Amino acid sequence: NAGVTQTPKFRILKIGQSMTLQCAQDMNHNYMYWYRQDPGMGLKLIYYSVGAGITDKGEVPNGYNVSRSTTEDFPLRLELAAPSQTSVYFCASRGRRVRDTEAFFGQGTRLTVV
Amino acid sequence: GNSVTQMEGPVTLSEEAFLTINCTYTATGYPSLFWYVQYPGEGLQLLLKATKADDKGSNKGFEATYRKETTSFHLEKGSVQVSDSAVYFCALSALDTGRRALTFGSGTRLQVQP
């Protein structure tokens, strides 16, 4: 049971570099999400997707991009990394039925921008 | 918009003490309510949930009751253990938004001392 898998677990970037955080789920979930968690704060929604080919902005989308070419994968792209993007990033997914209230989370990616 | 407010931490208790972590919410419609737990270095795991008013969610000795009249979902446990040390997040999900994303509180760190 893999669930939601995120890679890498840790990464250090220099200011201005770019990278892609990978997220894959094997539960055939329609909904997928990217959150960031800053110290002492709750999770903030960056982007979300309600199905393959459909993505939309969350609360804090600036500096990020996403794509959803398949049901399984939902990569998050950081262009021109900035220190303000130092955070822990979580990917999550959930099913599309009304009773699918639970979201399943990956283990997180700890990103430091220096 | 939707929001969740939970008590600030850290909360430090001795083993076998009684735990309460307060959570109140603001939401349009009729949200589902959740408590997630994050152990050190790990992702978020669902602890318990309630999907309608007066429902009680329970798991691993933790309980929370969905109180619509007070818009609250306080987490309780009668006797905490050292292994309960973690960060606890209250969250809601509202069906009236297409994204069905979770809105999180800021988290409460619980430290249980032997």
Side-chain angles (χ1 to χ4, degrees), chain B residues 78-98:
Chain B
S79 177
V80 294
Q81 306 300 313
V82 172
S83 57
D84 294 327
S85 298
V87 181
Y88 293 81
F89 292 93
C90 187
L92 68 82
S93 175
L95 283 180
D96 61 333
T97 62

Side-chain angles (χ1 to χ4, degrees), chain B residues 53-75:
Chain B
D54 299 324
D55 269 1
K56 178 186 281 188
S58 61
N59 186 26
K60 299 182 181 179
F62 291 89
E63 293 183 339
T65 301
Y66 190 143
R67 301 286 188 201
K68 191 167 182 295
E69 64 276 10
T70 55
T71 61
S72 65
F73 193 55
H74 304 321
L75 182 68

Side-chain angles (χ1 to χ4, degrees), chain A residues 11-91:
Chain A
R11 183 72 186 268
I12 298 175
L13 278 184
K14 294 185 178 177
I15 294 172
Q17 286 186 319
S18 300
M19 77 164 293
T20 299
L21 281 65
Q22 301 291 344
C23 175
Q25 52 90 10
D26 62 358
M27 296 172 281
N28 200 31
H29 284 169
N30 285 69
Y31 292 83
M32 294 189 75
Y33 309 90
W34 276 105
Y35 292 89
R36 59 177 287 172
Q37 181 185 25
D38 298 322
M41 307 287 286
L43 281 70
K44 300 292 185 187
L45 182 65
I46 305 171
Y47 269 95
Y48 70 99
S49 169
V50 301
I54 307 170
T55 63
D56 207 346
K57 296 177 181 178
E59 304 169 71
V60 290
N62 291 346
Y64 307 95
N65 274 302
V66 293
S67 59
R68 184 95 183 269
S69 56
T70 66
T71 298
E72 294 78 21
D73 300 300
F74 190 42
L76 177 72
R77 178 83 177 160
L78 277 73
E79 306 281 2
L80 299 175
S84 61
Q85 293 177 305
T86 294
S87 189
V88 181
Y89 292 83
F90 288 101
C91 179

Side-chain angles (χ1 to χ4, degrees), chain A residues 2-9 22-25 27 29 32-35 37 43 88-94 103-110, chain B residues 36-39 41-46:
Chain A
V4 180
T5 303
Q6 288 183 239
T7 55
K9 285 190 166 52
Q22 301 291 344
C23 175
Q25 52 90 10
M27 296 172 281
H29 284 169
M32 294 189 75
Y33 309 90
W34 276 105
Y35 292 89
Q37 181 185 25
L43 281 70
V88 181
Y89 292 83
F90 288 101
C91 179
S93 72
R94 76 194 303 173
F104 295 83
F105 284 80
Q107 297 281 70
T109 296
R110 184 175 295 275
Chain B
Y36 278 82
V37 59
Q38 183 180 32
Y39 298 104
E42 297 187 11
L44 278 73
Q45 303 173 26
L46 179 67

